Amino acid sequence: MKRTLFVVVSLLLAVVALSACGGSGQKGSTPAAAAGLPADALAIATQRGLTPDDVSAALKTYLPSGKHDDYYLFMSGGHSGNVIVAGVPSMRILKNIAVFTPESWQGYGVGETDTERILDAGNVDGVKIRTGDTHHPALSETNGDYDGQFLFINDKANARVAVIDLRDFETKQIVKDPNIISNHGSTFVTPNTDYVVQGTQYATPLGWAYAPLSEYKEKYRGLITLWKFDRTKGRIIPEESFSIEVPPYWQDLCDAGKLASDGWGFCNSFNTEMAVGGNMQGQPNFEAGVSQRDMDYLHIFNWKKAEEVVKAGKTETINGMKVIRIPTAVEEGVLFFAPEPKSPHGADVTPDGKYIVVAGKLDPHVTIYSFDKIQKAIAAKNWTTDEFGVPVLNYDDVKLAQVELGLGPLHTQFDDKGFAYTSLFLDSALAKWKLGGDDPNAYQLVEKIPVQYNIGHISAAEGDTVSPDGNYLVALNKWAVDRFLPVGPLLPQNEQLIDISGGPMKVLYDMPMGVGEPHYAQMIKADKIKPWDIYPQVGWDPATQAPSKYATKLGEEKIVRDGSNVEVFMTSVRSHLTPDRVELKKGDHVKWHITNVETAKDATHGFQLGGQGVSLSIEPGETVSFEFDAAHDGTYAFYCTEFCSALHLEMMGYVTVEP
Ligand code: K7E
Ligand code: CUA
């Protein structure tokens, strides 16, 4: 014990001395600076039973009040259908971004508003879809590096993709793939964000039309969809997007090539068996049926070539989407397969774009493919074909190396020192291994550390760009088991911060995630994101990122009646809403616009109208609109929901509906 305390003290002294060195120097740089350390620090460490490792982890993650984090971490919120933003290294949650599910605080999709229309664009066959399962956030890139402008995220359950603008951290668009019902290899961007890549997960007939499972091979298909992104508009352009038809192999994770492999993309698959279930009909469960073959197929696609094929009109339009059918994809050299070990999950391209790392959940190795070897094999036309006529390259021609890491390898990230990091789901561990360039023998396992528990994705600082930072890594663990205070049978997930800056890897922090579950996350340097403090001008419409035609200035508030159509032009400012009386008649249809005329940072006003299911958040400068029918006579109160001032409770008004 004495020794532990001694180490703790030395550590604290060293840290204080170090920070003094790096600081103004006024306090000197000798251990005497330790005199500045509160006398109770040692007592605290002792009393709380902290080890030297605990103390150093605390010092590495603690942020004094008012200091900012080094990185933003954008995490998918899984089946809560949103995105969660945290700071690293503090792991403090900064924001939830509502995406596929309505959210009252942000006034997102609650009441008939512009955000409701964003959600409606993702409806399926007229069914209002208000659930979601977000998996893979993707930051927009320029030359293969995060540029901090946009974030994309998929909804696995309904094959949708959303666009979030990082100027105001709000969802701007949801697009629904008209031909598939679930996606997974999504979202991943091409190096200049020309396209947002989306791969199908569970195959269906295109357009999810009916076909019995006995016709699986004939009728069911997957797609690799390239959603065209227009950076100036900040929108996906469905008319300029297209899909590549692929066999019903259950495509899994995808990654876009970069630098050496720019123009290409890669997706795993895991049901080349084409199992169709039927465990009540004497057939094996899917889990067994899907795992019979030793090899599945890495899908290798040339999206630049596919773009030319689309331009040449060699597509079929299916449910409004241009689709390159399999025979055309084969003939034009758009699609190739390479065998990959049993039921792989992650496909990750190295920072230089020269290698593709595939991790098979039922194989203890990661398999490294060489892009150069793939190109040579394609040029040599050295292939067999699968049942759909797609060229299958020879495994030994394209495989460069394998590294045995442990049980259940899933996802891989990279650092700036030539190392790769792979999550080991079954081992509940993180493996660090050395990349070896073109020398297969140079690839080596370096180190493994345990995580708590059942690790899925990992996210290293800028760890999937052309220039990873090699600073921090977050392990997105599915299970927390014993890590936190018990909260009933539904436990949080555990996001663990791990130091990978050099030397042995160390777990620094456990972050409970109370909604979820996060699958993937991306971590971007904080100074790359330049969010607005307030909207650029009073009367701003965030849906179009332009001035709103309903903007209302102070003194110009009005209520306009035209028969039974009533339009309200309202302003909000601390501490009143004008007008504060809205007199309606039963049966009126009401369009209501509110402009928050505040220009002070953080001076947001909320708005709820009792009995109408409306919730708004009106940020400084924003104009928001909603509609409703005054279906019942009565007296209702509306009020501001943000405690914005001392007289916030008075920031209210009445709606009277005359019979
Ligand atoms: Cu959870 Cu990328 Cu959807 Cu792996 S995925 S863990
Ligand atoms: Cu505005 Cu409270």
Side-chain angles (χ1 to χ4, degrees):
M1 190 62 186
K2 251 188 185 157
R3 188 176 145 66
T4 310
L5 291 184
F6 173 75
V7 179
V8 171
V9 171
S10 322
L11 214 149
L12 287 171
L13 294 184
V15 169
V16 170
L18 265 179
S19 53
C21 286
S24 63
Q26 278 173 330
K27 289 183 182 162
S29 56
T30 64
L37 190 73
D40 60 354
L42 176 61
I44 293 169
T46 311
Q47 190 231 332
R48 300 194 67 206
L50 302 180
T51 67
D53 271 355
D54 295 336
V55 174
S56 95
L59 292 172
K60 281 177 180 168
T61 55
Y62 176 70
L63 269 192
S65 181
K67 288 259 161 58
H68 292 180
D69 279 299
D70 299 336
Y71 291 92
Y72 285 94
L73 181 70
F74 290 90
M75 287 179 273
S76 72
H79 37 297
S80 59
N82 58 5
V83 165
I84 298 144
V85 189
V88 175
S90 77
M91 301 300 281
R92 298 183 300 196
I93 292 178
L94 302 170
K95 192 163 197 173
N96 289 325
I97 305 174
V99 185
F100 294 108
T101 43
E103 211 279 340
S104 179
W105 167 60
Q106 292 157 79
Y108 182 80
V110 191
E112 219 178 295
T113 59
D114 283 338
T115 51
E116 169 96 355
R117 286 184 266 280
I118 293 173
L119 283 166
D120 278 341
N123 289 345
V124 178
D125 296 334
V127 178
K128 276 186 186 268
I129 307 293
R130 294 296 184 267
T131 50
D133 184 18
T134 58
H135 278 237
H136 306 110
L139 288 154
S140 56
E141 296 181 6
T142 300
N143 298 323
D145 223 340
Y146 301 150
D147 55 37
Q149 293 183 354
F150 297 95
L151 183 78
F152 308 94
I153 189 130
N154 70 313
D155 164 30
K156 170 172 162 163
N158 303 285
R160 301 182 295 175
V161 168
V163 180
I164 295 160
D165 190 329
L166 293 178
R167 285 173 294 184
D168 59 0
F169 282 56
E170 286 189 2
T171 302
K172 300 299 170 189
Q173 185 187 23
I174 291 174
V175 291
K176 164 83 194 95
D177 194 303
N179 287 313
I180 55 172
I181 203 66
S182 80
N183 66 25
H184 194 233
S186 174
T187 51
F188 300 89
V189 298
T190 55
N192 282 305
T193 324
D194 298 307
Y195 293 99
V196 183
V197 181
Q198 171 196 266
T200 304
Q201 181 106 86
Y202 306 118
T204 57
L206 294 184
W208 55 94
Y210 171 75
L213 280 151
S214 56
E215 296 173 12
Y216 187 85
K217 193 182 136 189
E218 297 73 36
K219 301 251 173 91
Y220 286 53
R221 291 293 180 268
L223 294 176
I224 293 164
T225 296
L226 287 112
W227 291 106
K228 176 74 186 167
F229 185 64
D230 183 327
R231 202 186 277 269
T232 16
K233 293 197 177 90
R235 292 291 184 279
I236 284 171
I237 313 293
E239 305 74 45
E240 293 175 31
S241 307
F242 63 88
S243 300
I244 304 165
E245 182 190 22
V246 290
Y249 291 159
W250 292 7
Q251 288 68 36
D252 207 18
L253 286 182
C254 303
D255 201 2
K258 53 190 128 178
L259 298 176
S261 52
D262 189 10
W264 292 73
F266 312 90
C267 297
N268 285 324
S269 63
F270 64 106
N271 185 14
T272 52
E273 294 84 351
M274 294 189 277
V276 293
N279 56 9
M280 296 278 285
Q281 288 85 28
Q283 303 295 316
N285 288 321
F286 270 112
E287 68 192 74
V290 167
S291 310
Q292 280 161 9
R293 297 183 63 197
D294 282 337
M295 290 293 201
D296 289 291
Y297 296 133
L298 175 66
H299 294 34
I300 301 162
F301 60 97
N302 184 338
W303 62 261
K304 284 212 171 138
K305 177 59 79 69
E307 211 176 24
E308 289 167 21
V309 172
V310 172
K311 280 207 185 101
K314 297 177 186 169
T315 53
E316 256 177 59
T317 300
I318 305 176
N319 297 314
M321 181 70 108
K322 295 187 197 89
V323 180
I324 303 175
R325 303 306 297 247
I326 293 175
T328 312
V330 170
E331 202 177 298
E332 299 285 337
V334 167
L335 183 65
F336 304 89
F337 291 157
E340 54 184 357
K342 218 173 170 110
S343 296
H345 187 49
D348 297 283
V349 177
T350 54
D352 57 13
K354 289 183 177 171
Y355 311 98
I356 303 110
V357 178
V358 165
K361 43 199 197 262
L362 299 179
D363 182 284
H365 301 87
V366 282
T367 305
I368 297 101
Y369 294 81
S370 150
F371 183 70
D372 190 44
K373 281 171 167 266
I374 290 171
Q375 291 306 304
K376 285 183 176 137
I378 290 173
K381 295 194 191 299
N382 193 10
W383 60 59
T384 56
T385 52
D386 79 337
E387 295 177 66
F388 296 86
V390 180
V392 180
L393 307 173
N394 195 331
Y395 184 49
D396 291 326
D397 287 351
V398 295
K399 181 198 79 175
L400 174 74
Q402 278 201 317
V403 192
E404 185 170 344
L405 299 182
L407 298 180
L410 295 183
H411 300 288
T412 299
Q413 293 272 287
F414 304 94
D415 71 8
D416 56 340
K417 301 165 197 80
F419 295 104
Y421 301 81
T422 300
S423 53
L424 302 171
F425 180 81
L426 297 173
D427 274 353
S428 276
L430 174 70
K432 174 180 178 176
W433 51 283
K434 197 168 162 288
L435 293 168
D438 284 333
D439 176 5
N441 299 317
Y443 287 81
Q444 272 168 9
L445 173 64
V446 177
E447 190 198 349
K448 287 197 327 192
I449 55 159
V451 293
Q452 287 74 28
Y453 304 87
N454 291 6
I455 181 173
H457 273 276
I458 50 179
S459 172
E462 312 229 341
D464 65 359
T465 69
V466 294
S467 60
D469 283 5
N471 257 343
Y472 297 103
L473 183 146
V474 174
L476 299 127
N477 305 319
K478 309 292 183 189
W479 284 19
V481 188
D482 56 0
R483 292 293 109 170
F484 307 113
L485 282 177
V487 288
L490 179 58
L491 298 184
Q493 283 68 231
N494 185 13
E495 323 308 345
Q496 280 187 308
L497 181 68
I498 296 170
D499 186 350
I500 57 161
S501 60
M505 298 187 286
K506 263 191 194 142
V507 171
L508 298 178
Y509 194 78
D510 285 16
M511 174 211 212
M513 177 52 65
V515 294
E517 62 183 70
H519 287 259
Y520 186 43
Q522 286 190 334
M523 200 193 302
I524 177 175
K525 247 192 152 21
D527 61 13
K528 283 188 174 176
I529 295 193
K530 309 254 185 289
W532 287 331
D533 281 341
I534 59 168
Y535 280 109
Q537 72 182 68
V538 171
W540 194 260
D541 177 5
T544 55
Q545 297 290 43
S548 165
K549 58 181 170 187
Y550 304 115
T552 307
K553 291 197 182 112
L554 278 181
E556 293 181 3
E557 302 89 350
K558 59 187 172 188
I559 299 176
V560 184
R561 176 176 282 279
D562 175 13
S564 61
N565 290 315
V566 178
E567 198 156 10
V568 180
F569 296 83
M570 178 177 270
T571 60
S572 67
V573 68
R574 281 162 289 173
S575 303
H576 50 273
L577 292 148
T578 311
D580 59 8
R581 282 185 195 171
V582 177
E583 290 160 349
L584 303 174
K585 295 196 174 68
K586 186 174 167 178
D588 281 346
H589 180 75
V590 186
K591 288 188 178 174
W592 191 318
H593 318 287
I594 309 176
T595 300
N596 179 353
V597 298
E598 303 264 5
T599 52
K601 197 169 167 174
D602 213 4
T604 296
H605 298 289
F607 180 89
Q608 290 199 0
L609 168 58
Q612 295 296 342
V614 174
S615 182
L616 309 173
S617 174
I618 320 158
E619 281 89 60
E622 182 175 354
T623 296
V624 183
S625 301
F626 66 97
E627 296 182 37
F628 70 98
D629 287 311
H632 304 280
D633 53 71
T635 304
Y636 304 91
F638 57 82
Y639 65 95
C640 169
T641 46
E642 287 262 341
F643 207 108
C644 55
S645 69
L647 297 174
H648 149 82
L649 291 178
E650 290 81 353
M651 193 166 178
M652 64 81 65
Y654 282 106
V655 171
T656 51
V657 184
E658 209 181 312

